[in-house]
Amino acid sequence: MTVVTIGKTGNGKSATGNKIAGARETAETFPTSDGAESETEVCLHGYGTYEGRPITVIDTPGILDTNVVKKMSSCGSWLPAYREDQKRILRELTNMYTMAPDGFDAILIVVQYGVRFTAEDAEALKLLTAFMGEKAEGHMILLLTRGDQAALNARKKGVSSVDDYVKQWISGMPEWVKDFIDRIGDRWVLFNNLLDAHENPVAYQGQRRRLIEVGRQGSYKRRNSIIKGSTN
């Protein structure tokens, strides 16, 4: 199984990748940081297992960051001030495919629970879909980090099911967000990166199982046409 994590810096992509791969807290596959600066500068890949089956996880830089989107929105004109940054971003997107020659089983759009979605986020998703192709949406999963905060909020509101609480939160999202979730078949997963495999093994493996089961629903094969000439 091959999965790729995509999202903004600080939303928990690398921490999520570590949990999926089953990395120990003292031996992270992907470096993480508590700060606003990304620890991931280039695409990285790591390996793990689940029920005896291999898992490949690809962690990407913050290619959906607002500053990146602004630069890529100007890609058609190749502004001199952005040219090198544009080439770097396209190179990392291409590397993402190189690390998964057989395609992706799941494309995780990592978003922090509780954030506000902006017009820049809509543009970022539009650019990503244009690059990967509309068929990729059939294999995207909206992964919401900070599942611990969602569970706490649900308890405060007296909602017994955290999934029901998150559904209420999603119902208040901008229309383009709800349309996106509908297009990907309502495939979203709440994830708690604070869970420890030793302290709470049942919950830890439970969220891995849920994500992997959703991810196994299909595989997204590489589109060579979007790679060819992308960095020329």
Side-chain angles (χ1 to χ4, degrees):
M1 179 178 184
T2 300
V3 302
V4 58
T5 61
I6 300 174
K8 283 185 173 181
T9 297
N11 278 356
K13 297 188 309 301
S14 298
T16 297
N18 286 325
K19 296 297 183 183
I20 297 170
R24 300 189 306 274
E25 300 295 327
T26 56
E28 293 183 335
T29 300
F30 307 112
T32 60
S33 171
D34 293 330
E37 295 295 324
S38 175
E39 288 287 333
T40 306
E41 299 294 335
V42 297
C43 285
L44 302 171
H45 62 279
Y47 305 98
T49 59
Y50 178 74
E51 295 184 344
R53 297 183 180 183
I55 301 174
T56 299
V57 182
I58 300 170
D59 187 26
T60 63
I63 57 179
L64 298 188
D65 289 354
T66 299
N67 65 321
V68 172
V69 172
K70 289 180 179 178
K71 292 172 182 176
M72 295 310 295
S73 296
S74 305
C75 194
S77 58
W78 287 98
L79 297 178
Y82 292 162
R83 185 178 180 88
E84 291 306 314
D85 285 331
Q86 290 169 334
K87 290 174 67 176
R88 177 181 58 80
I89 294 162
L90 287 171
R91 183 171 60 249
E92 290 311 314
L93 285 168
T94 302
N95 286 341
M96 179 178 71
Y97 286 92
T98 303
M99 292 178 179
D102 295 324
F104 308 112
D105 294 289
I107 302 165
L108 307 181
I109 308 301
V110 181
V111 176
Q112 190 178 107
Y113 160 76
V115 300
R116 292 185 178 182
F117 291 88
T118 66
E120 287 79 9
D121 294 325
E123 181 64 20
L125 188 60
K126 180 179 177 181
L127 288 170
L128 181 65
T129 302
F131 185 86
M132 301 190 77
E134 291 184 1
K135 289 184 178 180
E137 288 189 343
H139 307 284
M140 289 182 180
I141 301 172
L142 179 64
L143 187 143
L144 301 170
T145 59
R146 296 199 69 188
D148 56 310
Q149 186 63 51
L152 176 61
N153 290 356
R155 290 195 297 270
K156 287 181 176 179
K157 296 290 185 179
V159 180
S160 59
S161 168
V162 64
D163 280 357
D164 287 343
Y165 181 79
V166 173
K167 288 178 182 178
Q168 293 176 17
W169 176 68
I170 290 174
S171 69
M173 294 293 100
E175 286 302 317
W176 69 265
V177 178
K178 291 185 285 188
D179 287 344
F180 169 69
I181 294 174
D182 183 63
R183 292 199 308 272
I184 64 175
D186 198 35
R187 285 153 53 95
W188 62 268
V189 175
L190 188 65
F191 217 73
N192 179 2
N193 283 322
L194 296 182
L195 284 177
D196 184 89
H198 300 292
E199 294 179 0
N200 198 340
V202 174
Y204 176 86
Q205 294 297 344
Q207 71 173 6
R208 283 186 82 208
R209 182 181 306 108
R210 180 180 180 185
L211 176 61
I212 290 170
E213 287 176 352
V214 173
R216 281 176 175 167
Q217 294 176 10
S219 63
Y220 169 57
K221 299 306 180 182
R222 182 177 62 179
R223 290 180 61 216
N224 290 325
S225 59
I226 66 174
I227 296 178
K228 185 178 180 180
S230 62
T231 57
N232 291 339

